Amino acid sequence: MLTLTPDELKNEEKRIAGLWLQDPKRPDMGEFIERHGSEEYRAYCRKVDAHIDEMERQGIMVG
C-alpha cells in the first residue's frame, strides 16, 4: 500500500514541485528529482518507485 509523503520530507517535496513548475521545459520528474532533490528525498522516491513497479508487476494498477 502506498502512503503519504512522510512529514519530514513534505517541505522538500514542495520545494522540488515549485522548482519543476518554474521550469518551462517541464523535464521528466524522476530526472528532475535526481538532479535537485536531497539524498534523503531521492532515496524515498526510489523506494516508492520500486514499490509501484512491484505492484504493477503483480497486476495492481497504481496511480
Side-chain angles (χ1 to χ4, degrees), residues 42-60:
R42 291 190 314 252
Y44 166 74
C45 289
R46 289 181 202 127
K47 181 179 174 183
V48 169
D49 288 345
H51 183 69
I52 289 170
D53 289 346
E54 179 59 28
M55 291 177 71
E56 288 179 348
R57 273 193 289 280
Q58 294 175 16
I60 302 168

Side-chain angles (χ1 to χ4, degrees), residues 13-36:
E13 186 172 70
K14 288 177 186 176
R15 183 184 74 79
I16 295 292
L19 287 173
W20 186 82
L21 289 170
Q22 290 176 0
D23 190 326
K25 298 177 189 170
R26 297 290 194 273
D28 175 76
M29 183 54 87
E31 292 174 12
F32 195 82
I33 289 169
E34 288 297 321
R35 280 196 315 270
H36 299 284

